[in-house]
Amino acid sequence: MTKRKKFVNIPVLTNLAEESRDWPYENPLAPGHRMCPGCSIPPIVNMALLEYGKDVVTGSNTGCLEVTTGVFPYTAWTVPWIHVAFENNAAVISGAEAAYRAFKKKGKIDKEIHFVSINGDGGSYDIGFQSLSGAAERNHNMLYICYNNEGYQNTGYQRSSATPIGAFTKTTPVGSKVVGKEEKRKDLTLIMAAHEIPYTAQANPFNYKDFTYKIKKTKDIKGFKFINVLQSCTLSWRTKPEDAFRALKLATETLYWPLYEVLEGKFWRINIKPAKPKPIEDYIAMQPRWRHVLKMPEVLDRIKEEIYTKWDFLVRMEKLSKELAEDLGFSLDEIFNMSWEEYQDKVKPKLKEKTYLF
Amino acid sequence: MAVELIKERKAVAMTGNQAIAEAMRQINYDVAAAYPISPQTELMGFFAEYLANGLVDTEFITVESEHSAMSAVIGAAAAGARAMTATAAQGLLYMYENLPIASNWRLPITMVLVNRALSAPLNIHCDHGDAMTARDSGWIQLFTENSQEAYHSLIMAVKIAESALLPAIVNMEGYIVSHTIGNVNLLTDAEVREFIGESDWRKNVPHPLLDTDNPVTYGATALPDYYTELKYPQHLATFEAKEHVKRVLEEFNRLAGTNYQVIEPYKLDDADFAIVVMGSTAGVARTAADQLREKGIKAGVLKIRLFRPFPYEEIAEALKHIKAVAVLDRHDSMNGLASPLYQDIASALYHLPERPMLHDFIYGLGGREVTVEDMLKAFNRLINIYTGRETRDRFTEYLQVRE
Ligand SMILES: Cc1ncc(C[n+]2csc(CCOP(=O)(O)OP(=O)(O)O)c2C)c(N)n1
Ligand code: SF4
Ligand SMILES: [Mg+2]
């Protein structure tokens, strides 16, 4: 992190990190931020923003990413970044994007600027859900990334609606009557797919090729893009820092966190299909916050039911999507491999013709 | 692209909401974001008509809530846009979290607040309860008396905000002004655009997000070691803001032939008794003062146009020789000595060697009609307390309550 050089009257940090000059060779998030060892937020942010380049306006809700990257007079952001409050970055970035459109249409700005909002699960699933849903419905041309560590980490780990069944949090302790969180995870990815926005996906930083493929894909798509990325939290999951990515790897191998993508709520494709899924117990065993459920067959059963019915649902959606693609004269892979323009030109007209299928 | 509609000045009969929509069209904001709430809804509807007919260039973000309206205009302004929103009462409270952020970041946003009473009980009619909750938010606040002033004030507010680098609220009373037809002298489109100047994303704010070659960080945390240092420049800016307001009012007076000042004294020079008031009630109070003067009582009125930053020097100067002053508060701040305007007036007068007696009247709540008789009642009660004919238990009283 670089200290800004001149005291400005306005509490905005200028003269940012030296790293910004070396684009794109250095990480967009400069070293020196205050995230915990083993936290997987930095690789998520860096992988995403490296694909986007330097002409990007970014922002975040209040949360771990925000509080560790900008502590006055230091900042780790080498690209423009704005944090207003806990629940509104989708709206803030939608305003910035509208400003850009206003100047663009008047010919007052030439360059192509992209807009990326990166927020925690609490700020996306819960308190910020309204502004996320609103920006998605208005179809602002922006990418929204949810880094999902399954809890309110910045405030010391309370439950969020992304926290899994049975997990310990400070607001869902393990007691003699109640053991951890009772409710299952809200499925924000499905909810966003139901917005029928251009692109929705689930990703995992361990599967970095898949993740960067998805990020690249969003760069080409006009409209609202949403990616939900699982993120390990050293502090609350209590996985050893060096095991963070091993845990993340297991999340997808056990089907706990399937990697898939959805185009306009219509075409569903699963990106990684483990030949033989590993037992969920392997994943849970790596997380002291959650390990106690291994001795609780009824709780384990509920967890499994949630995971496997969801996987079954996704497989069926993919099957339907394949059928639909074939009816239109394409393979599902062909459709996902098209550029956004090609998709508009080739697939959309055919979709219109065949709407009776629905 | 925006078209030139009004090429010659003209006088038209307009409601406050129509006049504000007209000003918005002439200003041709880069971005507007708003959520419907009475009595503001109609205003945004009028503006949407202009949009639908291609008469403005504004990107209108039809957000899903007021919280997002303010968030979006903050994002837009930080990006470099000339941005505005409009709301009332519950809408303002819902977006409130963002207000002190906009002012600390010195974003020149303008907001039309169509004054409405706060719940509970739910009520869509006028009082100043909403504006009063924003008084510590660091926003500049102008009050207006009629649709003409509302129209002029929004145009002035754009320039005030951009020169003071502080966000500004234009208060327009719900229904009393927003839905009441008055005579409005419109400036030409060209005059308005020249007065406020061309919007330029590189210049509207000092650190536009869109300048990706000079990346900035908005919204870093500041711990106890820096928080104070990041508040202090804002503190200074609010004091400087009054000079910006005065300069812009003067410039505007030269353009429009108006005589706007931060305060508007009426027959105060030789007055013994005065009412201090904001908004449309000023007219009623002036009529009452005239009637009293016919009976030989030297009455006057002080209307406050600039509520934030509070022009305490000008007010002290205007009131210092008065025997007794009735402050009319269109809001009850509860649990205090008296209501907000009274407290501000009292503070403004405290340092004078001799100062008027003060009394506070809470009036016009939830759209309660305000008559000349009400104003006469306030004057009479004030005079009676002053002369000792009547006593008082408190500094603040309800003027119009049915017991
Ligand atoms: C309106 C409001 N309510 C509560 C808070 C306190 N708060 C700040 S961050 C946070 C949790 C953030 O959780 P999440 O979005 O998941 O991000 P993480 O900290 O996990 O990165 C909470 C509760 C706040 N800042 N603002
Ligand atoms: S608390 Fe968790 S999410 Fe937050 S910085 Fe530490 S590891 Fe990352
Ligand atoms: Mg979280």
Side-chain angles (χ1 to χ4, degrees), chain B residues 55-268:
Chain B
L55 301 176
V56 267
D57 301 319
T58 310
E59 287 294 328
F60 183 35
I61 317 179
T62 47
V63 277
E64 79 297 332
S65 74
E66 288 87 356
H67 195 285
S68 286
M70 185 48 66
S71 306
V73 293
I74 286 176
R82 190 174 266 166
M84 72 90 63
T85 185
T87 192
Q90 309 309 114
L92 182 82
L93 264 55
Y94 195 33
M95 67 168 62
Y96 192 90
E97 180 189 20
N98 299 310
L99 298 193
I101 299 170
S103 57
N104 186 251
W105 293 354
R106 313 285 305 276
L107 297 175
I109 296 162
T110 43
M111 164 153 64
V112 177
L113 188 59
V114 191
N115 304 116
R116 159 178 160 172
L118 300 177
S119 298
L122 188 142
N123 174 300
I124 59 171
H125 295 276
C126 172
D127 68 33
H128 298 166
D130 49 8
M132 292 305 133
T133 64
R135 71 190 199 277
D136 298 340
S137 66
W139 285 56
I140 292 169
Q141 283 201 47
L142 297 168
F143 273 79
T144 60
E145 190 176 331
N146 48 42
S147 41
Q148 174 74 80
E149 283 192 14
Y151 166 78
H152 282 161
S153 297
L154 186 59
I155 297 165
M156 292 190 287
V158 171
K159 193 157 184 167
I160 291 168
E162 287 175 10
S163 50
L165 280 180
L166 282 172
I169 291 171
V170 173
N171 287 289
M172 169 169 75
E173 293 183 345
Y175 298 102
I176 301 169
V177 178
S178 70
H179 287 63
T180 305
I181 291 190
N183 208 23
V184 181
N185 290 299
L186 297 175
L187 296 168
T188 68
D189 291 1
E191 281 174 324
V192 172
R193 280 164 204 171
E194 205 199 309
F195 182 75
I196 58 173
E198 174 91 10
S199 168
D200 180 346
W201 65 269
R202 290 181 183 279
K203 297 200 185 115
N204 291 343
V205 291
H207 307 293
L209 287 170
L210 292 182
D211 187 1
T212 53
D213 294 329
N214 295 294
V216 292
T217 288
Y218 271 89
T221 303
L223 299 172
D225 56 345
Y226 271 101
Y227 186 86
T228 307
E229 282 63 35
L230 296 181
K231 279 293 180 192
Y232 189 59
Q234 183 191 356
H235 170 80
L236 295 179
T238 59
F239 285 92
E240 288 160 18
K242 191 171 76 181
E243 296 315 312
H244 288 284
V245 175
K246 284 183 160 179
R247 194 176 39 73
V248 174
L249 294 191
E250 264 166 45
E251 270 175 52
F252 191 82
N253 289 338
R254 278 199 297 277
L255 168 72
T258 46
N259 184 25
Y260 293 144
Q261 312 295 332
V262 293
I263 56 168
E264 206 173 284
Y266 180 75
K267 298 188 177 170
L268 280 186

Side-chain angles (χ1 to χ4, degrees), chain B residues 3-36:
Chain B
V3 252
E4 208 180 329
L5 275 192
I6 300 178
K7 296 190 176 129
E8 272 171 43
R9 290 192 186 188
K10 58 177 177 183
V12 276
M14 276 184 161
T15 63
N17 277 343
Q18 284 171 324
I20 287 289
E22 194 61 29
M24 286 171 65
R25 183 192 64 73
Q26 293 185 307
I27 292 164
N28 198 24
Y29 283 101
D30 300 311
V31 175
Y35 191 79

Side-chain angles (χ1 to χ4, degrees), chain A residues 1-5 13-23 26-33 46 54 69-70 73-81, chain B residues 212-217:
Chain A
M1 284 215 259
T2 310
K3 192 170 174 176
R4 67 154 181 30
K5 285 170 194 139
L13 293 168
T14 54
N15 299 323
L16 299 191
E18 310 275 312
E19 280 77 3
S20 60
R21 293 194 209 118
D22 300 330
W23 260 96
E26 297 285 342
N27 282 334
L29 212 50
H33 56 70
N46 280 327
K54 82 181 243 308
T69 50
Y74 298 98
T75 181
W77 293 93
T78 64
V79 290
W81 176 80
Chain B
T212 53
D213 294 329
N214 295 294
V216 292
T217 288

Side-chain angles (χ1 to χ4, degrees), chain A residues 66-77:
Chain A
E66 167 270 322
V67 86
T68 56
T69 50
V71 181
F72 205 90
Y74 298 98
T75 181
W77 293 93

